[in-house]
Coordinates of all heavy atoms in Angstrom, one line a residue:
M1394 N 1.0 -34.2 -17.5 CA 0.9 -33.7 -18.9 C 2.3 -33.6 -19.5 O 3.2 -33.1 -18.8 CB 0.3 -32.3 -18.8 CG -0.2 -31.8 -20.1 SD -1.7 -32.7 -20.5 CE -2.1 -31.9 -22.0
L1395 N 2.5 -34.1 -20.7 CA 3.8 -34.1 -21.3 C 4.1 -32.8 -22.0 O 3.2 -32.1 -22.6 CB 3.8 -35.2 -22.4 CG 3.7 -36.6 -21.9 CD1 3.6 -37.6 -23.0 CD2 4.9 -37.0 -21.0
T1396 N 5.3 -32.3 -22.0 CA 5.7 -31.1 -22.7 C 6.0 -31.5 -24.2 O 6.1 -32.7 -24.5 CB 7.0 -30.5 -22.1 OG1 8.1 -31.5 -22.3 CG2 6.8 -30.2 -20.6
N1397 N 6.1 -30.5 -25.0 CA 6.4 -30.8 -26.4 C 7.7 -31.5 -26.6 O 7.9 -32.4 -27.5 CB 6.4 -29.5 -27.3 CG 5.0 -29.0 -27.5 OD1 4.0 -29.7 -27.4 ND2 4.9 -27.7 -27.7
K1398 N 8.7 -31.1 -25.8 CA 10.0 -31.8 -25.9 C 9.9 -33.3 -25.5 O 10.5 -34.1 -26.2 CB 11.0 -31.1 -24.9 CG 12.4 -31.6 -25.0 CD 13.3 -30.8 -24.1 CE 14.8 -31.3 -24.2 NZ 15.7 -30.5 -23.4
Q1399 N 9.1 -33.6 -24.5 CA 9.0 -35.0 -24.1 C 8.2 -35.8 -25.1 O 8.5 -36.9 -25.4 CB 8.2 -35.0 -22.7 CG 9.0 -34.5 -21.6 CD 8.2 -34.3 -20.3 OE1 7.0 -34.0 -20.3 NE2 8.9 -34.5 -19.2
K1400 N 7.2 -35.1 -25.7 CA 6.4 -35.8 -26.8 C 7.3 -36.1 -28.0 O 7.3 -37.2 -28.6 CB 5.2 -35.0 -27.2 CG 4.1 -35.1 -26.2 CD 2.8 -34.4 -26.8 CE 1.7 -34.5 -25.8 NZ 0.4 -33.9 -26.3
S1401 N 8.2 -35.1 -28.3 CA 9.1 -35.3 -29.4 C 10.0 -36.5 -29.2 O 10.3 -37.3 -30.0 CB 9.9 -34.0 -29.7 OG 10.8 -34.2 -30.7
F1402 N 10.6 -36.5 -27.9 CA 11.4 -37.6 -27.5 C 10.7 -39.0 -27.6 O 11.3 -39.9 -28.2 CB 11.9 -37.4 -26.1 CG 12.6 -38.6 -25.5 CD1 14.0 -38.8 -25.8 CD2 12.0 -39.4 -24.6 CE1 14.6 -39.9 -25.3 CE2 12.7 -40.5 -24.0 CZ 14.0 -40.7 -24.4
L1403 N 9.5 -39.0 -27.1 CA 8.7 -40.3 -27.2 C 8.4 -40.7 -28.6 O 8.3 -41.9 -28.9 CB 7.5 -40.2 -26.3 CG 7.7 -40.1 -24.8 CD1 6.4 -39.7 -24.1 CD2 8.3 -41.4 -24.3
R1404 N 8.1 -39.7 -29.5 CA 7.8 -40.1 -30.9 C 9.0 -40.7 -31.5 O 8.9 -41.7 -32.2 CB 7.5 -38.8 -31.7 CG 6.0 -38.4 -31.5 CD 5.6 -37.4 -32.6 NE 6.3 -36.1 -32.5 CZ 6.0 -35.1 -31.7 NH1 4.9 -35.2 -31.0 NH2 6.7 -34.0 -31.7
G1405 N 10.2 -40.2 -31.2 CA 11.5 -40.8 -31.7 C 11.6 -42.2 -31.2 O 12.0 -43.1 -31.9
E1406 N 11.3 -42.4 -29.9 CA 11.5 -43.8 -29.3 C 10.5 -44.8 -29.9 O 10.7 -46.0 -30.0 CB 11.2 -43.7 -27.8 CG 12.3 -43.0 -27.0 CD 13.6 -43.7 -27.0 OE1 13.6 -44.9 -26.6 OE2 14.7 -43.1 -27.4
S1407 N 9.3 -44.3 -30.3 CA 8.2 -45.2 -30.8 C 8.5 -45.6 -32.2 O 7.8 -46.6 -32.7 CB 6.9 -44.5 -30.7 OG 6.8 -43.4 -31.7
N1408 N 9.4 -45.0 -32.9 CA 9.7 -45.4 -34.3 C 10.0 -46.8 -34.5 O 9.6 -47.5 -35.5 CB 10.8 -44.5 -34.9 CG 10.3 -43.1 -35.2 OD1 9.2 -42.8 -35.4 ND2 11.3 -42.2 -35.3
R1409 N 10.7 -47.4 -33.6 CA 11.1 -48.8 -33.7 C 10.1 -49.8 -33.2 O 10.4 -51.0 -33.2 CB 12.5 -49.0 -33.1 CG 12.5 -48.6 -31.6 CD 13.9 -48.7 -31.0 NE 14.0 -48.0 -29.8 CZ 13.6 -48.6 -28.6 NH1 13.1 -49.8 -28.6 NH2 13.7 -47.9 -27.5
L1410 N 9.0 -49.4 -32.6 CA 8.1 -50.2 -32.0 C 7.1 -50.8 -33.0 O 6.7 -50.2 -34.0 CB 7.3 -49.5 -30.9 CG 8.0 -48.9 -29.7 CD1 7.1 -48.2 -28.8 CD2 8.7 -50.0 -28.9
Q1411 N 6.6 -52.0 -32.7 CA 5.5 -52.7 -33.4 C 4.2 -52.5 -32.6 O 4.3 -52.5 -31.4 CB 5.8 -54.2 -33.7 CG 7.0 -54.4 -34.6 CD 6.8 -53.9 -36.0 OE1 5.7 -54.1 -36.5 NE2 7.8 -53.3 -36.5
P1412 N 3.1 -52.4 -33.3 CA 1.8 -52.2 -32.6 C 1.6 -53.5 -31.7 O 1.7 -54.6 -32.2 CB 0.8 -52.1 -33.7 CG 1.5 -51.6 -34.9 CD 2.9 -52.2 -34.7
L1413 N 1.2 -53.2 -30.4 CA 0.9 -54.3 -29.5 C -0.6 -54.7 -29.4 O -0.9 -55.8 -29.1 CB 1.4 -54.0 -28.1 CG 2.9 -54.0 -27.9 CD1 3.3 -53.7 -26.5 CD2 3.5 -55.4 -28.2
V1414 N -1.4 -53.6 -29.6 CA -2.8 -53.8 -29.4 C -3.5 -53.4 -30.7 O -3.1 -52.4 -31.3 CB -3.4 -53.0 -28.2 CG1 -4.9 -53.2 -28.1 CG2 -2.7 -53.3 -26.9
H1415 N -4.5 -54.2 -31.1 CA -5.3 -53.9 -32.3 C -6.7 -53.6 -31.9 O -7.3 -54.5 -31.2 CB -5.2 -55.0 -33.3 CG -3.8 -55.3 -33.7 ND1 -3.0 -54.6 -34.6 CD2 -3.0 -56.3 -33.3 CE1 -1.8 -55.1 -34.7 NE2 -1.7 -56.2 -33.9
I1416 N -7.3 -52.5 -32.4 CA -8.7 -52.3 -32.1 C -9.5 -52.6 -33.4 O -9.2 -52.0 -34.4 CB -8.9 -50.8 -31.7 CG1 -8.1 -50.5 -30.4 CG2 -10.4 -50.5 -31.5 CD1 -8.1 -49.0 -30.0
G1417 N -10.4 -53.5 -33.3 CA -11.2 -54.0 -34.4 C -12.6 -53.6 -34.4 O -13.0 -52.5 -34.0
K1418 N -13.4 -54.5 -35.0 CA -14.8 -54.2 -35.2 C -15.6 -53.8 -34.0 O -16.5 -52.9 -34.1 CB -15.5 -55.5 -35.8 CG -16.9 -55.3 -36.3 CD -17.4 -56.5 -37.0 CE -18.7 -56.2 -37.6 NZ -19.2 -57.4 -38.4
S1419 N -15.3 -54.4 -32.8 CA -16.1 -54.1 -31.6 C -15.7 -52.7 -31.0 O -16.3 -52.2 -30.1 CB -15.9 -55.2 -30.6 OG -14.6 -55.4 -30.3
G1420 N -14.6 -52.1 -31.5 CA -14.2 -50.8 -31.1 C -13.4 -50.8 -29.8 O -12.8 -51.8 -29.4
L1421 N -13.5 -49.7 -29.0 CA -12.8 -49.6 -27.8 C -13.6 -50.1 -26.6 O -14.5 -49.4 -26.1 CB -12.4 -48.1 -27.6 CG -11.4 -47.8 -26.4 CD1 -10.1 -48.5 -26.6 CD2 -11.3 -46.3 -26.3
T1422 N -13.4 -51.4 -26.3 CA -14.2 -52.0 -25.2 C -13.4 -52.0 -23.9 O -12.2 -51.6 -23.9 CB -14.6 -53.4 -25.6 OG1 -13.3 -54.2 -25.7 CG2 -15.4 -53.5 -26.9
E1423 N -14.0 -52.4 -22.8 CA -13.4 -52.4 -21.5 C -12.2 -53.4 -21.6 O -11.1 -53.2 -21.0 CB -14.3 -52.8 -20.4 CG -15.2 -51.7 -20.0 CD -14.5 -50.5 -19.4 OE1 -13.5 -50.7 -18.6 OE2 -14.9 -49.4 -19.8
S1424 N -12.4 -54.5 -22.3 CA -11.3 -55.5 -22.3 C -10.1 -55.0 -23.1 O -8.9 -55.2 -22.8 CB -11.8 -56.8 -23.0 OG -12.2 -56.6 -24.3
V1425 N -10.3 -54.2 -24.2 CA -9.3 -53.6 -24.9 C -8.5 -52.5 -24.1 O -7.3 -52.5 -24.1 CB -9.8 -52.9 -26.2 CG1 -8.7 -52.1 -26.9 CG2 -10.3 -54.0 -27.2
I1426 N -9.3 -51.7 -23.3 CA -8.7 -50.7 -22.4 C -7.8 -51.4 -21.4 O -6.7 -51.0 -21.1 CB -9.8 -49.9 -21.7 CG1 -10.4 -49.0 -22.8 CG2 -9.2 -49.0 -20.6 CD1 -11.6 -48.2 -22.3
T1427 N -8.3 -52.6 -20.8 CA -7.5 -53.3 -19.9 C -6.2 -53.9 -20.5 O -5.1 -53.8 -19.9 CB -8.3 -54.5 -19.3 OG1 -9.5 -54.0 -18.7 CG2 -7.6 -55.3 -18.3
Q1428 N -6.3 -54.4 -21.7 CA -5.1 -54.8 -22.5 C -4.1 -53.7 -22.6 O -2.9 -53.9 -22.4 CB -5.6 -55.3 -23.9 CG -5.5 -56.7 -24.1 CD -5.8 -57.0 -25.6 OE1 -6.5 -56.3 -26.3 NE2 -5.2 -58.1 -26.1
I1429 N -4.6 -52.5 -23.0 CA -3.7 -51.4 -23.2 C -3.1 -51.0 -21.9 O -1.8 -50.7 -21.9 CB -4.5 -50.2 -23.8 CG1 -4.9 -50.5 -25.2 CG2 -3.8 -48.9 -23.7 CD1 -5.9 -49.5 -25.9
E1430 N -3.8 -50.9 -20.8 CA -3.2 -50.6 -19.5 C -2.2 -51.6 -19.1 O -1.1 -51.2 -18.5 CB -4.3 -50.4 -18.5 CG -5.2 -49.2 -18.7 CD -6.3 -49.0 -17.7 OE1 -6.7 -50.0 -17.1 OE2 -6.8 -47.9 -17.6
E1431 N -2.4 -52.9 -19.3 CA -1.4 -53.9 -18.9 C -0.2 -53.7 -19.8 O 1.0 -53.8 -19.3 CB -2.0 -55.3 -19.1 CG -3.0 -55.6 -18.0 CD -3.8 -56.9 -18.3 OE1 -3.5 -57.6 -19.4 OE2 -4.6 -57.3 -17.5
A1432 N -0.3 -53.5 -21.1 CA 0.8 -53.3 -22.0 C 1.6 -52.1 -21.6 O 2.8 -52.1 -21.6 CB 0.4 -53.2 -23.4
L1433 N 0.9 -51.0 -21.2 CA 1.6 -49.8 -20.8 C 2.4 -50.0 -19.5 O 3.4 -49.4 -19.3 CB 0.6 -48.6 -20.6 CG 0.1 -48.0 -21.9 CD1 -1.1 -47.1 -21.7 CD2 1.3 -47.2 -22.6
E1434 N 1.8 -50.7 -18.6 CA 2.5 -51.0 -17.3 C 3.8 -51.8 -17.6 O 4.8 -51.5 -17.0 CB 1.6 -51.8 -16.3 CG 2.3 -52.1 -15.0 CD 2.8 -50.9 -14.2 OE1 2.2 -49.8 -14.3 OE2 3.8 -51.0 -13.6
A1435 N 3.8 -52.7 -18.5 CA 4.9 -53.5 -18.9 C 6.0 -52.7 -19.7 O 7.2 -52.9 -19.5 CB 4.5 -54.8 -19.6
K1436 N 5.5 -51.9 -20.6 CA 6.4 -51.3 -21.6 C 6.5 -49.8 -21.5 O 7.5 -49.2 -22.1 CB 5.9 -51.6 -23.0 CG 5.7 -53.1 -23.3 CD 6.9 -53.6 -23.9 CE 6.7 -55.1 -24.4 NZ 7.9 -55.8 -24.7
E1437 N 5.6 -49.1 -21.0 CA 5.5 -47.6 -20.8 C 5.1 -46.9 -22.1 O 4.4 -45.9 -22.1 CB 6.7 -47.0 -20.3 CG 7.0 -47.3 -18.8 CD 8.1 -46.5 -18.2 OE1 9.2 -46.5 -18.9 OE2 7.9 -45.9 -17.2
L1438 N 5.6 -47.4 -23.3 CA 5.3 -46.7 -24.5 C 4.9 -47.8 -25.5 O 5.6 -48.8 -25.8 CB 6.6 -46.1 -25.1 CG 6.5 -45.2 -26.3 CD1 5.6 -44.0 -26.1 CD2 7.9 -44.8 -26.8
I1439 N 3.7 -47.7 -26.1 CA 3.2 -48.7 -27.0 C 2.5 -48.0 -28.2 O 2.1 -46.8 -28.2 CB 2.1 -49.6 -26.3 CG1 0.9 -48.9 -25.9 CG2 2.8 -50.4 -25.2 CD1 -0.3 -49.8 -25.5
K1440 N 2.3 -48.8 -29.3 CA 1.5 -48.4 -30.4 C 0.3 -49.2 -30.4 O 0.3 -50.4 -30.2 CB 2.3 -48.6 -31.7 CG 3.4 -47.6 -32.0 CD 4.0 -47.9 -33.4 CE 5.0 -46.9 -33.7 NZ 5.7 -47.2 -35.0
V1441 N -0.8 -48.5 -30.8 CA -2.1 -49.2 -30.9 C -2.6 -49.0 -32.4 O -2.6 -47.8 -32.9 CB -3.2 -48.6 -30.0 CG1 -4.5 -49.2 -30.2 CG2 -2.7 -48.8 -28.5
T1442 N -3.0 -50.1 -33.0 CA -3.5 -50.0 -34.4 C -5.0 -50.0 -34.4 O -5.6 -50.9 -33.8 CB -2.9 -51.1 -35.3 OG1 -1.5 -51.1 -35.2 CG2 -3.4 -51.0 -36.7
I1443 N -5.6 -49.2 -35.2 CA -7.0 -49.2 -35.4 C -7.2 -49.9 -36.8 O -6.8 -49.4 -37.8 CB -7.6 -47.8 -35.4 CG1 -7.3 -47.1 -34.1 CG2 -9.1 -47.8 -35.7 CD1 -7.6 -45.6 -34.0
L1444 N -7.9 -51.0 -36.7 CA -8.1 -51.8 -38.0 C -9.2 -51.1 -38.8 O -10.0 -50.4 -38.4 CB -8.5 -53.2 -37.6 CG -7.5 -54.0 -36.8 CD1 -8.0 -55.4 -36.4 CD2 -6.1 -54.1 -37.5
Q1445 N -9.2 -51.5 -40.1 CA -10.1 -50.9 -41.1 C -11.6 -51.1 -40.8 O -12.4 -50.3 -41.1 CB -9.8 -51.3 -42.5 CG -8.6 -50.6 -43.0 CD -8.3 -51.0 -44.5 OE1 -8.7 -52.1 -44.9 NE2 -7.8 -50.1 -45.2
N1446 N -11.8 -52.3 -40.1 CA -13.2 -52.6 -39.8 C -13.8 -52.0 -38.5 O -14.9 -52.2 -38.1 CB -13.4 -54.1 -39.8 CG -12.6 -54.8 -38.6 OD1 -11.8 -54.2 -38.0 ND2 -12.9 -56.1 -38.5
C1447 N -13.0 -51.1 -37.9 CA -13.4 -50.4 -36.7 C -14.3 -49.2 -37.2 O -13.9 -48.4 -38.0 CB -12.2 -49.9 -35.9 SG -12.7 -49.0 -34.4
D1448 N -15.5 -49.0 -36.5 CA -16.4 -48.0 -36.9 C -16.1 -46.6 -36.2 O -16.5 -45.6 -36.6 CB -17.8 -48.4 -36.6 CG -18.3 -49.5 -37.5 OD1 -17.8 -49.7 -38.6 OD2 -19.2 -50.3 -37.0
Q1449 N -15.3 -46.7 -35.1 CA -15.0 -45.5 -34.3 C -13.9 -44.7 -35.0 O -13.0 -45.2 -35.6 CB -14.6 -45.8 -32.9 CG -15.8 -46.4 -32.0 CD -15.3 -46.7 -30.7 OE1 -14.4 -47.6 -30.5 NE2 -15.8 -46.0 -29.7
D1450 N -14.0 -43.4 -34.8 CA -13.0 -42.4 -35.3 C -11.7 -42.5 -34.5 O -11.8 -42.7 -33.3 CB -13.6 -41.0 -35.3 CG -12.6 -40.0 -35.8 OD1 -12.1 -40.2 -37.0 OD2 -12.2 -39.1 -35.1
K1451 N -10.6 -42.4 -35.1 CA -9.3 -42.5 -34.4 C -9.1 -41.4 -33.4 O -8.6 -41.7 -32.3 CB -8.1 -42.5 -35.4 CG -8.0 -41.2 -36.2 CD -6.9 -41.2 -37.2 CE -6.9 -39.9 -38.0 NZ -5.9 -39.9 -39.0
N1452 N -9.6 -40.2 -33.7 CA -9.5 -39.1 -32.7 C -10.4 -39.3 -31.5 O -10.1 -39.0 -30.4 CB -9.7 -37.8 -33.4 CG -8.7 -37.5 -34.4 OD1 -7.5 -37.7 -34.2 ND2 -9.1 -37.0 -35.6
E1453 N -11.6 -39.9 -31.7 CA -12.5 -40.2 -30.7 C -11.9 -41.3 -29.7 O -12.0 -41.2 -28.5 CB -13.8 -40.8 -31.3 CG -14.9 -41.1 -30.4 CD -16.1 -41.7 -31.1 OE1 -16.5 -41.1 -32.1 OE2 -16.6 -42.7 -30.7
I1454 N -11.3 -42.3 -30.3 CA -10.6 -43.4 -29.5 C -9.5 -42.8 -28.7 O -9.3 -43.1 -27.5 CB -10.1 -44.5 -30.5 CG1 -11.3 -45.2 -31.1 CG2 -9.2 -45.4 -29.7 CD1 -10.9 -46.3 -32.1
A1455 N -8.7 -41.9 -29.3 CA -7.6 -41.3 -28.6 C -8.1 -40.4 -27.5 O -7.5 -40.5 -26.4 CB -6.7 -40.4 -29.6
A1456 N -9.2 -39.7 -27.7 CA -9.7 -38.9 -26.6 C -10.2 -39.8 -25.4 O -10.0 -39.4 -24.2 CB -10.8 -38.0 -27.1
K1457 N -10.8 -40.9 -25.7 CA -11.3 -41.8 -24.7 C -10.2 -42.4 -23.9 O -10.2 -42.6 -22.7 CB -12.2 -42.9 -25.3 CG -13.6 -42.4 -25.6 CD -14.5 -43.5 -26.1 CE -15.8 -43.0 -26.5 NZ -16.7 -44.1 -27.0
L1458 N -9.1 -42.8 -24.6 CA -7.9 -43.3 -24.0 C -7.2 -42.3 -23.1 O -6.8 -42.6 -22.0 CB -6.9 -43.9 -25.0 CG -7.3 -45.2 -25.7 CD1 -6.4 -45.5 -26.9 CD2 -7.4 -46.3 -24.7
E1459 N -7.2 -41.1 -23.5 CA -6.6 -40.0 -22.7 C -7.3 -39.7 -21.4 O -6.8 -39.2 -20.5 CB -6.4 -38.8 -23.6 CG -5.2 -37.9 -23.1 CD -4.7 -37.0 -24.1 OE1 -5.5 -36.5 -25.0 OE2 -3.5 -36.7 -24.1
E1460 N -8.6 -40.0 -21.4 CA -9.5 -39.9 -20.2 C -9.1 -40.9 -19.1 O -9.3 -40.6 -18.0 CB -10.9 -40.0 -20.6 CG -11.5 -38.9 -21.4 CD -12.9 -39.2 -21.9 OE1 -13.5 -40.3 -21.5 OE2 -13.5 -38.4 -22.6
Q1461 N -8.5 -42.0 -19.5 CA -8.0 -43.0 -18.6 C -6.9 -42.4 -17.7 O -6.0 -41.7 -18.3 CB -7.5 -44.3 -19.3 CG -8.6 -44.9 -20.1 CD -9.8 -45.4 -19.4 OE1 -9.7 -46.0 -18.3 NE2 -11.0 -45.0 -19.9
E1462 N -6.8 -42.7 -16.5 CA -5.9 -42.1 -15.6 C -4.4 -42.4 -16.0 O -4.1 -43.6 -16.1 CB -6.1 -42.6 -14.1 CG -5.3 -41.9 -13.1 CD -5.6 -42.3 -11.7 OE1 -6.8 -42.6 -11.4 OE2 -4.7 -42.2 -10.9
G1463 N -3.6 -41.4 -16.2 CA -2.2 -41.5 -16.4 C -1.8 -41.8 -17.9 O -0.7 -41.7 -18.2
I1464 N -2.8 -42.1 -18.7 CA -2.4 -42.4 -20.1 C -2.3 -41.1 -20.9 O -3.2 -40.2 -20.9 CB -3.5 -43.3 -20.8 CG1 -3.5 -44.7 -20.1 CG2 -3.2 -43.5 -22.3 CD1 -4.5 -45.6 -20.7
E1465 N -1.2 -40.9 -21.6 CA -1.0 -39.8 -22.5 C -0.9 -40.2 -23.9 O -0.2 -41.2 -24.3 CB 0.4 -39.1 -22.1 CG 0.5 -38.6 -20.7 CD -0.1 -37.2 -20.5 OE1 -0.4 -36.6 -21.6 OE2 -0.3 -36.8 -19.4
V1466 N -1.6 -39.5 -24.8 CA -1.6 -39.7 -26.2 C -0.4 -38.9 -26.7 O -0.4 -37.7 -26.7 CB -2.9 -39.3 -26.9 CG1 -2.7 -39.5 -28.4 CG2 -4.0 -40.2 -26.4
V1467 N 0.6 -39.6 -27.2 CA 1.8 -39.0 -27.8 C 1.6 -38.5 -29.2 O 2.0 -37.4 -29.6 CB 3.1 -39.9 -27.7 CG1 4.3 -39.3 -28.3 CG2 3.3 -40.3 -26.3
Q1468 N 0.9 -39.3 -30.0 CA 0.8 -39.0 -31.4 C -0.3 -39.9 -32.0 O -0.5 -41.0 -31.6 CB 2.1 -39.3 -32.1 CG 2.1 -39.0 -33.6 CD 3.5 -39.3 -34.2 OE1 4.1 -40.3 -33.8 NE2 3.9 -38.6 -35.2
V1469 N -1.1 -39.3 -32.9 CA -2.1 -40.0 -33.7 C -1.6 -39.8 -35.1 O -1.7 -38.7 -35.6 CB -3.5 -39.5 -33.5 CG1 -4.5 -40.3 -34.4 CG2 -3.9 -39.6 -32.0
I1470 N -1.2 -40.9 -35.8 CA -0.7 -40.7 -37.2 C -1.3 -41.9 -38.0 O -1.1 -43.1 -37.7 CB 0.8 -40.7 -37.2 CG1 1.3 -40.5 -38.7 CG2 1.4 -41.9 -36.6 CD1 2.7 -40.0 -38.8
G1471 N -2.1 -41.6 -39.0 CA -2.8 -42.6 -39.8 C -3.7 -43.4 -38.9 O -4.6 -42.8 -38.2
K1472 N -3.6 -44.7 -38.9 CA -4.4 -45.5 -38.1 C -3.7 -46.0 -36.8 O -4.0 -47.0 -36.2 CB -4.9 -46.7 -38.9 CG -5.9 -46.4 -40.0 CD -7.2 -46.2 -39.4 CE -8.3 -46.0 -40.6 NZ -9.6 -45.9 -40.0
I1473 N -2.6 -45.3 -36.5 CA -1.8 -45.7 -35.3 C -1.8 -44.6 -34.2 O -1.7 -43.4 -34.5 CB -0.4 -46.0 -35.7 CG1 -0.3 -47.2 -36.6 CG2 0.5 -46.2 -34.5 CD1 1.0 -47.6 -37.2
I1474 N -2.0 -45.1 -33.0 CA -2.0 -44.2 -31.8 C -0.8 -44.6 -31.0 O -0.7 -45.8 -30.6 CB -3.3 -44.2 -31.0 CG1 -4.5 -43.9 -31.9 CG2 -3.2 -43.3 -29.8 CD1 -5.8 -44.1 -31.2
V1475 N 0.0 -43.6 -30.6 CA 1.2 -43.9 -29.7 C 0.8 -43.4 -28.3 O 0.4 -42.3 -28.2 CB 2.5 -43.2 -30.2 CG1 3.6 -43.4 -29.3 CG2 2.8 -43.6 -31.7
L1476 N 0.9 -44.3 -27.4 CA 0.5 -44.0 -26.0 C 1.7 -44.2 -25.0 O 2.5 -45.0 -25.2 CB -0.6 -45.0 -25.5 CG -1.9 -45.0 -26.4 CD1 -2.8 -46.1 -25.9 CD2 -2.6 -43.6 -26.2
Y1477 N 1.6 -43.3 -24.0 CA 2.7 -43.4 -22.9 C 2.0 -43.3 -21.6 O 1.0 -42.6 -21.4 CB 3.6 -42.2 -23.1 CG 4.6 -42.1 -21.9 CD1 5.7 -43.0 -21.8 CD2 4.4 -41.2 -20.9 CE1 6.5 -42.9 -20.7 CE2 5.2 -41.1 -19.8 CZ 6.3 -41.9 -19.7 OH 7.2 -41.9 -18.6
K1478 N 2.5 -44.1 -20.7 CA 2.1 -44.1 -19.3 C 3.2 -44.5 -18.4 O 3.8 -45.6 -18.7 CB 0.9 -45.0 -19.0 CG 0.4 -44.9 -17.6 CD -0.8 -45.8 -17.3 CE -1.3 -45.7 -15.9 NZ -2.4 -46.6 -15.6
E1479 N 3.6 -43.7 -17.5 CA 4.8 -44.0 -16.6 C 4.4 -45.3 -15.8 O 3.4 -45.3 -15.2 CB 5.1 -42.8 -15.7 CG 6.4 -43.1 -14.9 CD 6.7 -41.8 -14.1 OE1 6.5 -40.7 -14.6 OE2 7.3 -42.0 -13.0
S1480 N 5.3 -46.2 -15.8 CA 5.1 -47.5 -15.1 C 5.4 -47.3 -13.6 O 6.3 -46.6 -13.2 CB 6.1 -48.6 -15.7 OG 5.9 -49.8 -14.9
V1481 N 4.6 -48.0 -12.8 CA 4.8 -47.9 -11.4 C 6.0 -48.8 -10.9 O 6.8 -48.3 -10.2 CB 3.5 -48.3 -10.6 CG1 3.7 -48.3 -9.1 CG2 2.3 -47.4 -11.0
E1482 N 6.0 -50.0 -11.5 CA 7.0 -51.0 -11.0 C 8.2 -51.1 -12.0 O 9.3 -51.5 -11.5 CB 6.4 -52.3 -10.8 CG 5.3 -52.3 -9.7 CD 4.6 -53.6 -9.5 OE1 5.1 -54.6 -10.1 OE2 3.6 -53.6 -8.8
K1483 N 8.0 -50.9 -13.3 CA 9.1 -51.2 -14.3 C 9.4 -50.0 -15.1 O 9.3 -49.9 -16.3 CB 8.6 -52.3 -15.2 CG 8.2 -53.6 -14.5 CD 7.7 -54.6 -15.5 CE 7.3 -55.9 -14.8 NZ 6.6 -56.8 -15.7
K1484 N 9.9 -49.0 -14.4 CA 10.2 -47.7 -15.0 C 11.4 -47.9 -16.0 O 12.5 -48.4 -15.6 CB 10.6 -46.6 -14.0 CG 11.0 -45.3 -14.5 CD 9.8 -44.3 -14.3 CE 10.2 -42.9 -14.8 NZ 9.9 -42.7 -16.2
R1485 N 11.2 -47.7 -17.3 CA 12.3 -47.9 -18.3 C 12.7 -46.6 -19.0 O 13.8 -46.5 -19.4 CB 11.8 -48.8 -19.4 CG 11.5 -50.2 -18.9 CD 10.9 -51.0 -20.0 NE 10.8 -52.4 -19.6 CZ 10.5 -53.4 -20.4 NH1 10.4 -53.2 -21.6 NH2 10.4 -54.6 -19.9
I1486 N 11.8 -45.7 -19.2 CA 12.0 -44.5 -20.0 C 12.3 -43.3 -19.1 O 11.4 -43.0 -18.2 CB 10.8 -44.2 -20.9 CG1 10.6 -45.4 -21.9 CG2 11.1 -42.9 -21.7 CD1 9.4 -45.3 -22.8
E1487 N 13.4 -42.7 -19.3 CA 13.7 -41.4 -18.6 C 13.4 -40.2 -19.5 O 14.0 -40.1 -20.6 CB 15.2 -41.3 -18.2 CG 15.6 -42.3 -17.1 CD 14.9 -41.9 -15.7 OE1 14.7 -40.7 -15.5 OE2 14.5 -42.9 -15.0
L1488 N 12.4 -39.5 -19.2 CA 12.0 -38.3 -20.0 C 13.0 -37.2 -19.8 O 13.5 -36.9 -18.7 CB 10.6 -37.9 -19.6 CG 9.4 -38.9 -19.9 CD1 8.1 -38.4 -19.4 CD2 9.4 -39.1 -21.4
P1489 N 13.2 -36.4 -20.9 CA 14.1 -35.2 -20.8 C 13.4 -34.1 -20.0 O 12.3 -34.1 -19.8 CB 14.3 -34.8 -22.3 CG 13.2 -35.5 -23.1 CD 12.7 -36.6 -22.3

């Protein structure tokens, strides 16, 4: 579980990131979750965009992602979700 200070730090780090995963019409599927987990293992901090044609609510998607082991929702802002998961092999981010 991330502290408020760590979330604030990660929000600052995410400002320069471009969204890596897009959730579209089919919503949050197993293949999308796999894509997100692979991206998190490689980068640790990613942005996910929810496209306009997605029927699922952004908060519902964020809650389902947070249920996945190790994934932390840093921020939900507009149609963008910022996610963090500590990498096992490629640790890049040192949390305060």
Side-chain angles (χ1 to χ4, degrees):
M1394 198 71 180
L1395 295 173
T1396 65
N1397 286 337
K1398 184 176 182 180
Q1399 290 169 329
K1400 283 186 178 185
S1401 177
F1402 171 77
L1403 291 171
R1404 278 194 297 273
E1406 291 292 307
S1407 72
N1408 285 340
R1409 57 186 167 77
L1410 298 178
Q1411 293 296 317
L1413 287 180
V1414 180
H1415 304 281
I1416 299 174
K1418 189 174 186 175
S1419 56
L1421 189 63
T1422 61
E1423 284 300 316
S1424 63
V1425 172
I1426 291 172
T1427 303
Q1428 252 189 329
I1429 290 170
E1430 287 177 341
E1431 289 172 358
L1433 283 168
E1434 179 58 34
K1436 305 266 187 195
E1437 289 189 313
L1438 185 67
I1439 65 167
K1440 282 185 178 177
V1441 176
T1442 301
I1443 302 168
L1444 301 177
Q1445 285 186 328
N1446 62 353
C1447 181
D1448 294 333
Q1449 289 179 297
D1450 180 56
K1451 63 184 177 183
N1452 296 318
E1453 181 182 314
I1454 292 173
K1457 284 184 181 178
L1458 287 171
E1459 204 158 34
E1460 290 172 5
Q1461 302 298 314
E1462 188 174 332
I1464 297 178
E1465 297 279 348
V1466 174
V1467 176
Q1468 183 179 32
V1469 178
I1470 184 164
K1472 293 281 189 175
I1473 294 177
I1474 302 173
V1475 180
L1476 301 172
Y1477 171 78
K1478 181 178 181 182
E1479 187 174 328
S1480 177
V1481 177
E1482 297 177 11
K1483 299 177 184 175
K1484 181 107 177 85
R1485 295 178 176 191
I1486 300 173
E1487 288 296 323
L1488 293 175

